[in-house]
Amino acid sequence: MLGTYRQIFAAPGSAAFSAAGFVARVPIAMVGIGIVTMLSELRGDYALAGALAAVFALTYAFITPVVSRAVDRYGQSRVLPVASGISATSLAAMLLCVRFGTPDWVLFVWAVPAGCMPTIGAMVRARWTELYRGTPLLRTAFAFEAVVDELCFIAGPVVSVGLSVTVFPEAGPLAGLVLLVVGTLALVAQRGTEPPVYSSPDGGRPSVVRTPALWILVAVMVSMGTIFGVIDVGAIAFTRSHDAPASATVVLALFAAGSAVAGLVFGAVRVSASLRKQLMVAVLAVAVLMVPLLLAGSIPALAVAYAVAGMTVAPIMIVTTGLVEQIVPAAALTEGITWIVTGLGVGVAVGSALAGRMIDEFGTTAGYAVAAVAALLASMVTPWLFVKQSASTERPSSTR
């Protein structure tokens, strides 16, 4: 398995752009939780902190496809410094406003342009695609990036919260700001692996919003994001109800670890079934593995259920990214991948809100029921991929 992953880094520049992408990608996992920690430390206002973090997250979800479309049209080196600069400047202004006690509405004003932060994961995957399009190594590269995503969302919050609590309240989001700038500049400096700007055969710009199959994948990702939101809130609520709130971090870490291990193994094996069939099987597995969460009666049982359920996450992300590479035109690949991330982000916001409400009203089992329903909906939507496939947009790929 290690030999398989070693092969993808044989290409010149691959290790460098992957490392730069990791640095630039960590901030998205640091800023939201950093905002919450910062305001809770300085003002003790969780309502304001949560609202500000939500505005940042939703703005990011809706602005980032626009940024990615610009990247497809003008190139990474021209767009990423501008988008990251706007985001970093806005975050810096927000931190200064928090420090000097400006009115709350001013913080929300700066939270909106802060959402211009690029989807770095899509930029890195576009570079891998340019290197290995049409080869089995592309699947392996996507698997590696899925694991990197998990590492970002494990390390990012820990670093951000730790800095804000032990150094000074603004330290967490400030560190995310610095990493965004440094990582983005390091990535765009590597022009040798930057994907070229493709032109459409008819001279126009391709539009992924006219691809029905992509919206099915986005719907699946909204369901997956909803599950993630429930997973986060549910772990905190369940462990607190069992008088062991600190164990929530262990439970969540097991979920991420299960995903990372499964992603590494999945990316190293060769599967003969089509990506559509693989996605159907994986989504059905998610629906089945939500059931133990409803039945868990102790923290150890919940931890096991989380670890097993997490094993479906990375494979779904790998297969979904592979399907996007097949479905959308090459000239719109970055935008296509970004819409998947947007669906995931919207789902997380919806899942967190619904789970919190259900837990407050009916208990943790009701919260996990939201995840079970989301998984069931995803399993009902996925078969439509076989109906909506389009010969005019789909390209053959050896990642099948």
Side-chain angles (χ1 to χ4, degrees):
M1 185 174 70
L2 292 177
T4 302
Y5 284 95
R6 195 177 297 117
Q7 291 179 49
I8 66 174
F9 291 106
S14 57
F17 76 67
S18 183
F22 175 80
V23 174
R25 201 182 323 184
V26 172
I28 192 57
M30 297 178 65
V31 173
I33 191 67
I35 290 172
V36 174
T37 308
M38 171 182 67
L39 289 175
S40 63
E41 288 285 312
L42 287 173
R43 302 186 184 183
D45 191 339
Y46 286 96
L48 172 63
L52 191 62
V55 168
F56 168 76
L58 290 175
T59 303
Y60 170 81
F62 288 105
I63 290 181
T64 193
V66 179
V67 174
S68 292
R69 182 169 175 81
V71 168
D72 284 327
R73 184 169 185 177
Y74 300 108
Q76 294 186 9
S77 59
R78 294 178 65 184
V79 176
L80 295 188
V82 175
S84 294
I86 293 172
S87 180
T89 301
S90 301
L91 284 172
M94 183 197 300
L95 299 185
L96 289 173
C97 290
V98 170
R99 172 56 61 178
F100 291 106
T102 61
D104 293 347
W105 65 267
V106 179
L107 304 182
F108 289 93
V109 170
W110 288 115
V112 173
C116 284
M117 187 181 296
T119 306
I120 300 297
M123 311 302 160
V124 175
R125 285 174 171 88
R127 293 187 181 228
W128 284 121
T129 301
E130 196 59 34
L131 285 176
Y132 296 122
R133 180 181 280 116
T135 74
L137 289 178
L138 183 58
R139 172 195 174 95
T140 304
F142 285 164
F144 177 78
E145 291 303 318
V147 174
V148 172
D149 284 337
E150 295 295 341
L151 293 177
C152 288
F153 281 94
I154 292 173
V158 173
V159 173
S160 184
V161 173
L163 288 173
S164 290
V165 172
T166 61
V167 183
F168 56 89
E170 299 91 344
L174 178 61
L177 183 160
V178 172
L179 290 175
L180 174 65
V181 173
V182 172
T184 300
L185 292 177
L187 182 63
V188 299
Q190 300 170 54
R191 300 294 295 274
T193 54
E194 180 180 351
V197 176
Y198 291 95
S199 60
S200 180
D202 59 4
R205 299 305 305 173
S207 177
V208 297
V209 299
R210 298 178 183 176
T211 308
L214 178 66
W215 290 109
I216 294 173
L217 294 179
V218 171
V220 172
M221 286 298 101
V222 171
S223 296
M224 291 301 300
T226 301
I227 293 171
F228 296 163
V230 173
I231 288 293
D232 290 343
V233 175
I236 295 170
F238 189 98
T239 53
R240 182 173 294 169
S241 69
H242 286 72
D243 299 321
S247 61
T249 55
V250 177
V251 173
L252 291 172
L254 286 172
F255 182 82
S259 175
V261 171
L264 285 172
V265 174
F266 188 75
V269 301
R270 298 290 174 257
V271 183
S272 59
S274 71
L275 289 178
R276 284 177 169 81
K277 291 180 180 179
Q278 292 179 43
L279 185 61
M280 282 190 64
V281 172
V283 170
L284 285 172
V286 172
V288 172
L289 293 176
M290 289 299 104
V291 176
L293 299 180
L294 300 171
L295 304 177
S298 65
I299 291 178
L302 186 74
V304 172
Y306 265 53
V308 176
M311 296 175 124
T312 60
V313 174
I316 287 178
M317 297 304 298
I318 295 165
V319 172
T320 302
T321 307
L323 278 168
V324 172
E325 189 268 331
Q326 290 183 3
I327 289 168
V328 305
L333 178 62
T334 307
E335 184 189 359
I337 296 175
T338 301
W339 275 113
I340 297 301
V341 178
T342 295
L344 204 63
V346 171
V348 169
V350 171
S352 298
L354 287 178
R357 184 64 178 270
M358 294 296 287
I359 289 171
D360 284 342
E361 294 289 336
F362 306 106
T364 54
T365 301
Y368 287 125
V370 174
V373 171
L376 182 61
L377 290 175
S379 66
M380 295 170 64
V381 168
T382 307
W384 282 92
L385 282 170
F386 291 90
V387 178
K388 295 295 184 181
Q389 59 185 332
S390 171
S392 62
T393 56
E394 185 179 4
R395 303 185 311 279
S397 170
S398 61
T399 56
R400 290 191 176 202

